[in-house]
Structure formats: C-alpha cells, structure tokens
Amino acid sequence: MKSTLCKLANFTLSLVQNLGRNEVNCKPTAVKRSASWVTKPVMQLAFQFIFRDAGRDEMAAEQISTDEMEELREAFSKVDVDANGYISTDELNELFKVANLPLPGYRVREIVQELSRTMDQNQDGKITFDEFVKVVHGLKSSEVAKTFRKAINKKEGICAVAGTSEQSGTQHSYSEEEKVAFVNWINKALEKDADCKHLLPMDPSSNDLFTAVGDGIVLCKMINLSVPDTIDERTINKKKLTPFTIQENLNLALNSSSAIGCHVVNIGAEDLKEGRQHLVLGLLWQIIKIGLLADIEISRNEALIALLRDGESLEDLMKLSPEELLLRWANYHLEQAGCQKINNFSSDIKDSKAYYNILNQVSPKGEEEGIPPITIDMSGLREKDDIKRAECMLDQADRLGCRQFVMPTDVVRGNPKLNLAFVANLFNKYPALKKPENQDIDWSSIEGETREERTFRNWMNSLGVNPRVNHLYGDLDDALIIFQLYEKIKVPVDWDKVNKPPYPKLGSKMKKLENCNYAVELGKKEAKFSLVGIAGQDLNEGNRTLTLALLWQLMRRYTLNILEDLGDGQKVNDDTIVSWVNTTLREADKKTISGFKDGSISSSMPVLDLIDAIQPGSIRYDLVKAEDLSDDEKLNNAKYAISMARKIGARVYALPEDLVEVKPKMVMTVFACLMARGMKRV
C-alpha cells in the first residue's frame, strides 16, 4: 500500500506542479528509465492544453487529445493496482503523509478535502477514472497548485537539469529513454551523410546528443529527412564553423522547424547551442514525429481506405488524425489475425502480444516479386517474463529492420511516445494494405492539401494551437482553433460564450455552429475583417474559399502586428512594407519592386537582393541565375531565397513555389518577415 501511495503522491505532485505553470518555454518533463511507474500525462497535458495563454485557461482545460487521454488512463492504472476501476478517497490523507511534504498539517487537510471534494463527483468514497479526468480538466492555478509547486524540489524518477525556471520555480527535466531512442534513430538516419561524420555516431549512453545539435547541422538534416527539400543544402554552413556561422545554422533550423509546423516559441539559438536537454528533446520529437506520420494520410496513401469500417463514410475516415489512423491500422491487422483489439499504444501493448501478431501479419510472405519472405518466430509468446517476451518480440522486429525507438523496458512500461514512433516506423516500412478495387468510392474526393492550405496549417501549428491541426477544414469546424488565433492577434475572446468539448451526442452540430457564428461575429466587429458573405455555417461545413479568406486575414494581421510592435505601434499596411523594401534596396544600390505582383519576383532576385541588403555579403550570387531563367532555375533560386531568409532570422512560412508563381499574399508575408528582421538591426 505504501508503495502505491508513493506512486500516487509523486504523480499528483507532478500534476499540480505542472498545472500551476503559465509559461511556454518549458517542455514536458520526463522520467528516468529506472522509475518504471512514472508516466508523463500531466507534463504533456499542462503544456499542450492547459494555461497556454492566461486568457484562455477555461477553454484549454476543457480539451484533451487522444494521446493525453491514454496517458492519463495509464497513470490511473498505475495507482489502481487491483484493477477494480477506482481509488478510495480514504487513501488520499495517507497519501500526503507518505509524500512527506513540508506543509503545515492544516494545509494538508485542506488540500485533501479539496481533492476529495472535486475528484469524488458522486461522493461515493471512490474516485473513478472519469472523475479523475474531470478534476484534471478543472484544476486551475489555485492556491493548492501554488502550494504544491513551492513544496517540490525533488521528485523520485525525475531528472532535474539546468536549474529552475525563474517564472514558475519548477525544475526542467528530460527523459533518458527518449534521448537513447532519438540518438539511435539519428545515428541510423544520417550514418551515410558526409556532413555529419564529425558528429556521428553518437553514444546513446552519453550526452553526445546535446553537444551534437550545437552547430545546427544535424537539426537541419533531420528537418529535411522529415519534410524533404525544406532547407536548401547550399545554405547550411558546413566547414570552418565560427560562432556567427553556427548562429546562422541554428536560425535556419529553428525557422525551418516552425515552417513545417513545429511549435518553437521561446526556443532560441542559444538554447540549442548550450544543449538544453528538455528543449533539444522537445524539438527533436516534433521533427521526428512529423516525418513518421507524414504518409499516414489518405491522400498520400490511398491503401488506407482498406481501413473503412461497415457503415462508415470516406469522409469519416478522412477526419481521423494520423495517430487515430495508425491505431486503426494496428487493429485491422489484429482483427485479421483473430486477436483482441487494442485501444492505445501504452497499457494495451505492454505484454508484446499485440506487437507479435502485427509483426506476423505485416511481414513479407513472398507473394511480391523480388521481396523474399520473412517468417516471424512466434515462440517468444510463450515467455512468461514480460521483459524477456518484449526482447524476443524486438528480435523479430529487427528481422524486418523495424526495431527502432523502443527497448524492452519501453514496451513493458508502455511509453506512449516511443511506442507510437515504433508502430509508425513499422507502418511506413510494411503497411501491408491493398487499395480496394471493388468498393463504391469517389476517388476524386481524395485530394491532398494545396500549398496554401499547408502553409496555413503549419503556421497555426507553429503557434501552438491545441489540438494540433491535421485537416485544415475538419479541424476548424467548431472554431476553437479560430478563437485561439484571435487571441494571438490581440482580439479578445469571451470564453463564456464558447461551447467547449466534449459536445453532447445530440445537438453537437448546433454547439459547433454557435461557435462558428461567434467566430464570424468577432471577425467582423472586433477584428474589423472583411467577411462579406461569410457565415458561421461556412466555417462549420468547411467551405474552402471562405475559410481560407478568414485564415488569410488572421495570418496577415498576425504578421502586421509583429511589424507594428517593432515600430512602436505605428500602423503598417501593404504600402508601408513596399516602401520599406524599396528604401532598403535603393540604399544598397539594388533594383526596386512595384509591388507584390511585380513580375521580377518570379526570379526571386528582389528577395535575394533584400536579404543581401539586410545582411551584406550573405548571398552567394554565384549560386543563382539572374536572367533568362527556365522554370527549374526559377525554382532553384526560390529555394535558395526562402532558406536564406530563414537563415538570417526571418520566420518565413511561404514556399519557394509562391515566389516563382508570384502569389501576392504569400509574397507579402515574405517581404513582411524580412522587414521585421531588418527592423531588428541595431
């Protein structure tokens, strides 16, 4: 009992400590390999959907992703050791005694009474999982949270690093198992890259990783591995590195990470140069995850339609997130094997049995020409010890070249993050799905996102909206993301007027529509947007043209606000930007532009000239062609220009094709971002 209470104590302390934070630059805490009972639900929860901004605590606390719900379930099961589905409130008082908190007795009693009252919703003396989730939703930065936060200096299983946060007093930490997994993945991915020979292979048992990312090269390479051609290799400084050229590489890595949808707010080049563990691992996980999940999307892999269930529409399937599709894929193969389905990649895979059966299903059977069969040895299922069984299973995964990300202990402990990565990598190598041929499917409705849609989606995700936007229109149908964006552009949102999930089964569409109506109202009355002909129904139903019209105005206002903040509040418009661009170009004896539709922009030369004017000598003109350009040469210039803009410190979201095709809206954002960078010069 005492052991169980210690577990619950430490978990609860981590919970309230993290819920008490209101800062963005900390990454979720993690656990050391030696502490098998510790999980990370709250640490991720706190930073993904609680207290992201002070103005939307209530809305944030109402949201919880599938991953986070599974991690909470995992934590609850650690305490509910007899698996009866509840925890007794009588245990709470003893819990805090065991925790040995330096608190007065009356404060402990008050805290216990408050937790008992809020957790035990039906006052039956038992805390169910649903009640547990409700209290996690409802906890705020209260006096209880503050007291807990101040009380904790050391937590069993948590490895504190780099001191404490001055803002919250909380300690940063990092996960040893994640470090090992990421090091092994990077070693394998970049083992043949000549530019990384001075850094690889890294020793996973050391802190090599945190030193290796310091010059920016590995990060740039990993970004291109996840989203090919994001960074023009010509812009990476690779030889005779100096503090200045290292800074450029790190700028390039951070701004490119943001452009592919990573949330990098308050992560600076100095953080990476100094190898701050929690920030390095947090950024690397985002980059790796984006790459792992990239092809788990129906428009990029039509064979996923094989996962359609009876009575389910294609539209329903297309709304699933990559994580949900991956779980559906795993269960598809388990069903084919006649095995029990799983609900997560944490507690349900601990015994390795599901993994064994998935491996057996997806392994090559010799049916395809040129691909020899690989037989999975299932004898390891008879192993009675979970660790030994996991080791045998991973030996079989290794035969498929898919052992990456997890150690046997990671499987047995149900590490959700690393097990997700393990399964995603397996899917990417052996999907074992066939595109349906005889089903009545409108294949024309399966189209990938446009460049404009991808740019907007990555921009939103880089700002840290929650939940993450996977499908631009479907994920905006309740306007919660829109409200978060309004707050990013300083438009106040009355959260009392906002309906929050979970929505009732009956009337959910109406609740979402009410939100969308309020979002349009805010746009017209508070943001002063031009939303003629746009109604809430258009957002709710995913009208592409009208939704994009609103998103563009949000992105434009966000960009202009940055310029206005740099310019002491002076209003900025398109003419202001063009005037600044031309003044800067003239001062550097370079050609000017007539506006954002200027045909010369298709060569990217005005952008390259502006970059060189802002940071003289930065552009290697021998790498570009200025006149009589073919389409390929224009694209080549544009790739160089976009990467160079990011390299000198401009957070550009536009794509090279936007310059080649002279898309005025995206061109405007490129020049605006460069203007912001130019205005920062001392």
Side-chain angles (χ1 to χ4, degrees), residues 10 68 80 102 139 205 209 529 633:
N10 281 279
E68 291 153 350
D80 180 22
L139 276 170
S205 66
L209 173 64
F529 287 163
E633 288 167 336

Side-chain angles (χ1 to χ4, degrees), residues 120-326:
D120 190 11
Q121 303 284 318
N122 56 10
Q123 299 298 304
D124 62 354
K126 301 174 182 178
I127 299 169
T128 66
F129 176 71
D130 288 340
E131 289 170 338
F132 179 64
V133 170
K134 285 179 182 177
V135 80
V136 172
H137 278 195
L139 276 170
K140 295 290 187 291
S141 184
S142 61
E143 179 61 31
V144 172
K146 292 174 184 175
T147 303
F148 268 117
R149 192 172 68 241
K150 293 175 182 177
I152 302 167
N153 291 315
K154 294 182 179 179
K155 301 183 292 297
E156 181 186 355
I158 301 295
C159 179
V161 298
T164 59
S165 164
E166 293 181 2
Q167 289 178 310
S168 69
T170 52
Q171 291 178 314
H172 301 310
S173 63
Y174 71 94
S175 163
E176 182 70 18
E177 56 262 89
E178 287 172 21
K179 183 197 75 174
V180 170
F182 297 167
V183 165
N184 289 333
W185 180 250
I186 294 170
N187 281 343
K188 181 68 175 176
L190 302 180
E191 64 180 345
K192 296 180 181 179
D193 194 313
D195 297 326
C196 298
K197 283 186 176 179
H198 65 296
L199 299 169
L200 304 182
M202 296 176 282
D203 179 2
S205 66
S206 73
N207 283 333
D208 284 357
L209 173 64
F210 306 119
T211 304
V213 299
D215 66 11
I217 295 177
V218 165
L219 285 172
C220 288
K221 297 287 185 174
M222 291 304 295
I223 290 167
N224 272 350
L225 189 71
S226 286
V227 184
D229 292 329
T230 297
I231 296 174
D232 188 324
E233 285 270 348
R234 295 173 294 175
T235 63
I236 304 175
N237 300 318
K238 301 173 182 177
K239 297 179 180 179
K240 298 180 180 179
L241 296 177
T242 66
F244 178 75
T245 56
I246 287 173
Q247 177 80 20
E248 287 187 321
N249 279 351
L250 294 171
N251 286 341
L252 178 59
L254 283 170
N255 290 323
S256 298
S257 296
S258 185
I260 65 172
C262 294
H263 183 210
V264 296
V265 174
N266 288 351
I267 302 178
E270 285 300 316
D271 298 318
L272 300 178
K273 193 182 301 182
E274 294 171 8
R276 293 185 182 172
Q277 293 99 325
H278 62 295
L279 297 179
V280 169
L281 291 180
L283 178 59
L284 274 174
W285 170 240
Q286 290 186 77
I287 294 169
I288 291 171
K289 184 179 179 182
I290 286 171
L292 287 173
L293 301 184
D295 287 332
I296 308 177
E297 204 274 317
I298 292 174
S299 67
R300 299 182 67 165
N301 191 339
E302 292 183 349
L304 285 166
I305 294 177
L307 304 181
L308 263 174
R309 293 173 177 167
D310 291 341
E312 187 177 48
S313 69
L314 180 59
E315 183 181 3
D316 293 331
L317 189 66
M318 292 180 71
K319 287 180 180 179
L320 298 181
S321 68
E323 293 90 339
E324 290 168 331
L325 280 173
L326 195 60

